[in-house]
C-alpha cells in the first residue's frame, strides 16, 4: 500500500484554488490498499463530524486507487443462533474526492 500526503500553503498553493494561499491545500493519495474495518469504528466518527462551530475550509483532493475495504458488523447479535451479518466489501477502482473553496465535497 502507498499513502502520500502533501500540504501546500503560501503563494505557491494558489494554482490549486484562490483560498489555498491562506488556508492551505491538502492532497492525499491512497493506492493499493486492502483493509478491514469494524462498523463501530465508523459510527464512532459521528461526534467528530458534528460541531456547532463552522470550521475553516481547507481545499483538498483525496484520491483512492485500487482499494478494497471490508466492513464487518461488530454489534451484539439479536438472535444467538443467527450466523450474523455478512461483511460488506467495497471495491474502489478509482475515486477522487475534492473539497473546493465553498466547503462542498465533490465525488468524481
Amino acid at each position: 500500500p502507498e499513502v502520500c500526503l502533501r500540504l501546500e500553503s503560501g503563494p505557491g498553493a494558489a494554482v490549486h484554488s484562490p483560498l489555498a494561499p491562506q488556508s492551505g491545500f491538502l492532497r492525499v493519495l491512497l493506492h493499493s490498499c486492502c483493509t478491514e474495518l469494524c462498523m463501530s469504528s465508523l459510527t464512532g466518527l459521528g461526534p467528530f463530524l458534528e460541531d456547532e462551530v463552522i470550521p475553516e475550509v481547507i481545499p483538498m483532493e483525496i484520491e483512492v486507487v485500487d482499494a478494497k475495504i471490508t466492513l464487518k458488523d461488530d454489534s451484539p447479535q439479536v438472535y444467538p443462533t443467527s450466523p450474523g451479518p455478512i461483511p460488506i466489501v467495497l471495491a474502489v477502482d478509482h475515486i477522487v474526492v475534492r473539497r473546493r473553496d465553498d466547503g462542498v465535497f465533490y465525488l468524481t
Side-chain angles (χ1 to χ4, degrees):
E2 180 181 324
V3 177
C4 298
L5 296 170
R6 182 177 181 153
L7 179 62
E8 293 182 52
S9 62
V15 297
H16 301 292
S17 80
L19 185 61
Q22 293 86 19
S23 60
F25 183 80
L26 176 66
R27 175 143 170 48
V28 179
L29 171 63
L30 179 64
H31 195 279
S32 301
C33 176
C34 184
T35 190
E36 190 173 286
L37 297 173
C38 293
M39 292 297 286
S40 63
S41 63
L42 294 179
T43 56
L45 293 175
F48 293 106
L49 299 175
E50 298 174 4
D51 199 352
E52 296 166 356
V53 178
I54 298 173
E56 179 182 339
V57 174
I58 298 176
M60 65 180 69
E61 180 178 287
I62 302 169
E63 186 173 5
V64 180
V65 179
D66 190 27
K68 181 180 172 185
I69 302 167
T70 304
L71 300 173
K72 295 178 89 176
D73 188 3
D74 59 339
S75 62
Q77 290 187 356
V78 177
Y79 303 105
T81 57
S82 171
I86 298 171
I88 298 170
V89 178
L90 300 172
V92 177
D93 193 30
H94 187 197
I95 190 169
V96 179
V97 180
R98 287 186 180 91
R99 186 178 193 193
R100 300 208 174 124
D101 294 351
D102 57 3
V104 177
F105 288 90
Y106 296 88
L107 296 174
T108 57

